[in-house]
Amino acid sequence: MSGRTDEPDFLKNKIVDQCERLQLQSAGITKYVAEVLPGKNQRAVNMASAARELVIQRLGLVRSLCESEEQRLLEQVHGEEERAHQSNLTQQVHWAEALKKLDSIRTSLVGMLTHLDDLQLIQKEQEIFERSEEAEGILDPQESEKLNFNEKCTQSPLLTRLWATAVLGSLSGTEDVRIDERTVSPFLQLSDDRRTLTFSAKKSKACADGPERFDHWPNALAATSFQAGLHAWMVNVQNSCAYKVGVALGQLPRKGSGNDCRLGHNTFSWVFSRYDQEFRFSHNGQHEPLGLLRCPAQVGVVLDLQAQELLFYEPASSTVLFTYHASFPGPLFPVFAVADQTISIMH
């Protein structure tokens, strides 16, 4: 049996080296725990304190701004209420005087007719003419916007942005909107979860035709309609250069290529649309171009049926894309169209 005579010394030296390395490693860890970690912990505490102060400071400014805007808007509402009230009081006084004058003229004319003979009536002809002309000068009441409360006094870009952010954010959440597969155009494919629509230039033969289905335009209606309250949903549109999102009445025709079935081209639908780099709001064939500086990746739709307001919103930049006020004539369905790639209802 053979072996190296210096092997034990070699192993001893190796162990000594390892022990020295372990000692140095232990010293490093001890120093890190004793000196570095306390410093890092203190810095974390300091940064957390500064972060809290920043949040409190910024939210304090937001609260202050909101309180100031609230006060301003409430003062405008009060002022508009007082203005309308005073206008109505003025009109009441005016028409009370007019009624009094008309009654006086009528009494005078009836008195002449009752108590004067023909000769005396002829002698009073000028007076009769003047009294009649005076009565004709009192015009009938006319409808005047001055007597109505002007709801525009509550318009505030700041309030609208904050409100839309809150509705589409954590305060109110969004509706669980899903597509009614019976309405889906044969040019669209619907995902299994009924939230994604994908355009296909080739018409699908797998779709069974029915009265609810759009047979020409690439449209689809949601399964649920809204007739009261506040509702919101978000649509991911970043993959499409041709789409429409909005609301429609259930009476929206489904068959044929006419404008009565085309979203935004009839009285049944209200939509925000994109075609390439052009954006617009459309209803009843009236199209309002929207000069957007960027293409939204997501479009939020807020429907406030109490206020009769439809709002389109981009959450990424907190931008109100368009607001429409109308007296909607019936329950409204979320409606969609896509002629390029894919759009998805977010949840």
Side-chain angles (χ1 to χ4, degrees), residues 259-272:
N259 283 341
D260 57 340
C261 305
R262 192 178 181 187
L263 299 186
H265 289 255
N266 48 64
T267 60
F268 305 105
S269 55
W270 298 257
V271 292
F272 170 88

Side-chain angles (χ1 to χ4, degrees), residues 43-320:
R43 282 194 292 276
V45 170
N46 293 340
M47 291 179 68
S49 178
R52 275 191 289 270
E53 290 297 324
L54 182 62
V55 169
I56 292 171
Q57 180 189 49
R58 290 187 173 180
L59 284 176
L61 288 174
V62 171
R63 289 190 196 95
S64 177
L65 180 60
C66 289
E67 289 171 359
S68 176
E69 187 71 351
E70 177 186 23
Q71 184 64 30
R72 184 182 73 82
L73 291 173
L74 291 178
E75 288 177 357
Q76 284 192 183
V77 169
H78 178 71
E80 177 60 18
E81 180 185 29
E82 285 295 308
R83 185 206 61 74
H85 178 64
Q86 289 300 322
S87 294
N88 277 278
L89 286 179
T90 300
Q91 286 288 299
Q92 288 178 5
V93 171
H94 170 78
W95 292 113
E97 292 177 351
L99 286 172
K100 186 177 180 180
K101 182 178 289 187
L102 287 173
D103 187 60
S104 173
I105 294 172
R106 181 177 178 278
T107 300
S108 174
L109 292 175
V110 169
M112 291 181 187
L113 186 63
T114 303
H115 299 104
L116 300 182
D117 56 28
D118 292 348
L119 181 60
Q120 289 173 318
L121 283 174
I122 293 173
Q123 293 174 344
K124 293 283 188 176
E125 181 179 3
Q126 181 61 32
E127 183 179 346
I128 294 171
F129 173 77
E130 291 175 355
R131 299 292 282 174
S132 298
E133 192 174 53
E134 186 179 0
E136 291 176 0
I138 301 174
L139 303 177
D140 293 335
Q142 301 292 322
E143 178 61 33
S144 173
E145 285 299 320
K146 293 181 180 180
L147 302 178
N148 300 328
F149 181 86
N150 182 10
E151 293 180 333
K152 292 183 178 180
C153 70
T154 61
Q155 290 183 356
S156 162
L158 171 64
L159 178 59
T160 300
R161 285 197 301 272
L162 292 174
W163 174 74
T165 301
V167 171
L168 288 164
S170 60
L171 294 185
S172 299
T174 54
E175 303 287 343
D176 183 14
V177 173
R178 302 196 187 220
I179 303 296
D180 183 349
E181 58 187 350
R182 299 173 302 171
T183 69
V184 177
S185 162
F187 291 101
L188 298 177
Q189 295 177 0
L190 180 63
S191 63
D192 291 339
D193 65 0
R194 296 191 291 124
R195 290 198 182 103
T196 298
L197 291 167
T198 302
F199 177 72
S200 173
K202 187 176 180 180
K203 192 173 185 178
S204 172
K205 296 181 180 179
C207 295
D209 193 21
E212 297 91 355
R213 191 176 305 283
F214 294 95
D215 67 356
H216 179 82
W217 298 108
N219 303 340
L221 280 179
T224 306
S225 66
F226 307 120
Q227 55 185 346
L230 177 63
H231 308 276
W233 56 98
M234 195 94 71
V235 187
N236 187 331
V237 295
Q238 63 182 340
N239 295 323
S240 180
C241 291
Y243 62 82
K244 296 178 181 179
V245 296
V247 295
L249 296 169
Q251 303 95 297
L252 176 67
R254 318 292 171 88
K255 306 302 180 183
S257 59
N259 283 341
D260 57 340
C261 305
R262 192 178 181 187
L263 299 186
H265 289 255
N266 48 64
T267 60
F268 305 105
S269 55
W270 298 257
V271 292
F272 170 88
S273 66
R274 175 186 179 183
Y275 181 75
D276 196 14
Q277 298 301 309
E278 295 182 1
F279 299 87
R280 62 189 186 181
F281 172 80
S282 301
H283 171 62
N284 197 24
Q286 301 297 314
H287 310 289
E288 184 161 344
L290 307 177
L292 305 187
L293 299 178
R294 50 181 260 171
C295 299
Q298 300 170 357
V299 175
V301 184
V302 180
L303 178 63
D304 187 349
L305 288 167
Q306 179 180 354
Q308 294 289 284
E309 181 176 348
L310 175 66
L311 181 145
F312 299 95
Y313 182 75
E314 185 196 13
S317 62
S318 299
T319 299
V320 176

